Amino acid sequence: MADRADVVVVGGGQAGLATSYWLRRHGVDHVVLDEQEEPGGAWRRTWPSLRLFSPSGYSSLPGWMMPEHPDVFPPVDHVLAYLAAYEERYDVPVRRGVHVSDVRADDDGLDVVTGEGSVRARYVVSATGTWRAPFVPLVEGATCFEGTQVHSAHYRGPEPFVGQQVAVVGGGNSGVQITADLLGHAARVHLASLGRLRFLPDDVDGRYLFERASARITGDARDLESELAGTIVAMPSVREARAKGALRLRAMFDRMDATGAVIGREHVDLDAVVWATGFRPALRHLRSLRLRTRDGIPVVDGARSVTDPRVAFVGYGDWTGPASATLIGVGRPARALATTLAQELARD
């Protein structure tokens, strides 16, 4: 492994690939470090029935369209094949099986510490996403629950829940998709959330979520926001679950106990809880730099740390660019960052 590069990208998922594409276009010397042995990033950790919210054409990284798939909403295997082919097509300088444990700074540069030694860098782009930092809310009595608790990050399908009473907590796309996935396997599925379910119209898919996020950049979001007020894509499996009455939302737990959850005056017996409650940025490798604030998100100007502008972030969510956590959305902030870094390197 090279011991020096102008830019080190930490993470070889979709954000890392998009960043590498634009760095290569600008002729920037860089290396991508990824701890997984195979391409695919967080897509490799999803449940088998997961599908994209958008057609292939709206799920592409910069430079190369995702090949068409017979289904409108392509399955995860199609995404994995695309990401592997993308990495090969653009000869991404990725080093796999490399765990980045720390990044240390001095006046002259950054040391990216790995199990195989350190890489000296002028800039570090963190593109590790959120999968390794699942968020579970604090609920009174949760530690007393004797059943199974699993976050959506570790949900691998309905088989472990056959014949069980299951609660899925979370009213977003993951929550409703997992609820639909459990139907016909679990004895009963309760969907619980603090808020209400907000569906997009049935003839609208994830393309409009991207367009709405993009409109925020230009200031044209007002009409689109009112026209498409929802966030949940009514995919075929979700529409089927809704038609069966399986998506009738329950209030969030007031507390839990050994055998289930209390909601208002009702006790709900449960064998398992699936927490589809989101993620936080996976930034443990940057802890020595002390960039995070109390809410766990670094203060950034554009995509770069205000504390240390030699450190940048791509692909974590809206704080790193509208829709930047999506396949199609990550290209824009990756391009802007690569352009800026190339200009600064050229001046040195």
Side-chain angles (χ1 to χ4, degrees):
M1 184 171 68
D3 60 2
R4 184 177 295 274
D6 284 337
V7 179
V8 172
V9 181
V10 183
Q14 62 194 40
L17 296 183
T19 302
S20 177
Y21 173 87
W22 287 114
L23 289 172
R24 182 177 288 279
R25 287 288 299 269
H26 285 289
V28 174
D29 169 51
H30 70 285
V31 63
V32 179
L33 305 180
D34 191 76
E35 65 181 1
Q36 295 194 143
E37 297 290 347
E38 298 177 277
W43 291 101
R44 191 162 292 282
R45 307 291 185 178
T46 62
W47 59 95
S49 70
L50 180 71
R51 290 181 173 271
L52 291 177
F53 302 149
S54 307
S56 298
Y58 266 72
S59 304
S60 303
L61 293 176
W64 183 40
M65 296 285 284
M66 179 183 287
E68 291 295 324
H69 190 273
D71 297 336
V72 174
F73 302 106
V76 67
D77 286 348
H78 188 68
V79 181
L80 290 173
Y82 168 68
L83 293 176
Y86 187 96
E87 185 176 305
E88 182 176 357
R89 179 187 183 97
Y90 292 110
D91 194 24
V92 176
V94 62
R95 303 291 182 266
R96 298 211 161 275
V98 178
H99 172 69
V100 175
S101 59
D102 203 1
V103 176
R104 299 168 184 164
D106 57 41
D107 291 341
D108 298 322
L110 302 162
D111 285 317
V112 182
V113 182
T114 82
E116 300 181 13
S118 295
V119 183
R120 188 69 170 173
R122 299 171 73 178
Y123 298 94
V124 167
V125 179
S126 187
T128 52
T130 61
W131 180 83
R132 291 197 175 277
F135 171 73
V136 176
L138 293 175
V139 177
E140 180 185 348
T143 57
C144 301
F145 180 58
E146 295 177 354
T148 300
Q149 296 188 64
V150 62
H151 191 275
S152 61
H154 306 111
Y155 175 80
R156 294 294 177 268
E159 290 76 14
F161 306 96
V162 171
Q164 295 188 2
Q165 300 279 338
V166 183
V168 178
V169 180
N173 280 289
S174 293
V176 297
Q177 279 201 48
I178 290 173
T179 299
D181 196 44
L182 288 166
L183 294 184
H185 300 274
R188 187 173 181 183
V189 186
H190 306 271
L191 178 59
S193 176
L194 285 172
R196 62 187 181 91
L197 301 183
R198 301 173 66 243
F199 289 94
L200 289 166
D202 286 1
D203 60 344
V204 171
D205 58 42
R207 288 174 287 185
Y208 292 91
L209 296 176
F210 170 72
E211 289 179 3
R212 185 167 63 191
S214 299
R216 295 192 186 106
I217 299 175
T218 61
D220 298 328
R222 182 176 301 174
D223 291 341
L224 200 57
E225 289 281 5
S226 60
E227 179 185 350
L228 303 170
T231 56
I232 299 173
V233 178
M235 302 171 69
S237 63
V238 172
R239 293 199 298 270
E240 182 179 352
R242 188 178 59 191
K244 292 178 179 179
L247 300 183
R248 292 172 182 161
L249 193 64
R250 306 198 63 147
M252 181 53 190
F253 308 156
D254 292 310
R255 63 184 183 277
M256 296 176 67
D257 57 26
T259 60
V262 176
I263 302 175
R265 297 182 179 180
E266 180 185 4
H267 185 276
V268 181
D269 292 335
L270 296 173
D271 300 299
V273 177
V274 180
W275 299 97
T277 45
F279 299 81
R280 296 293 184 262
L283 300 176
R284 184 171 176 78
H285 58 290
L286 300 177
R287 61 191 181 280
S288 291
L289 301 180
R290 301 182 182 277
L291 303 179
R292 288 201 279 186
T293 59
R294 287 184 180 179
D295 61 3
I297 296 176
V299 178
V300 296
D301 181 6
R304 301 173 71 177
S305 167
V306 170
T307 305
D308 190 337
R310 297 173 298 180
V311 180
F313 305 87
V314 176
Y316 292 92
D318 285 353
W319 64 275
T320 55
S324 67
T326 66
L327 283 159
I328 192 173
V330 72
R332 180 183 286 139
R335 180 179 188 175
L337 175 63
T339 301
T340 299
L341 297 185
Q343 291 170 347
E344 291 183 9
L345 287 164
R347 287 198 296 266
D348 291 346

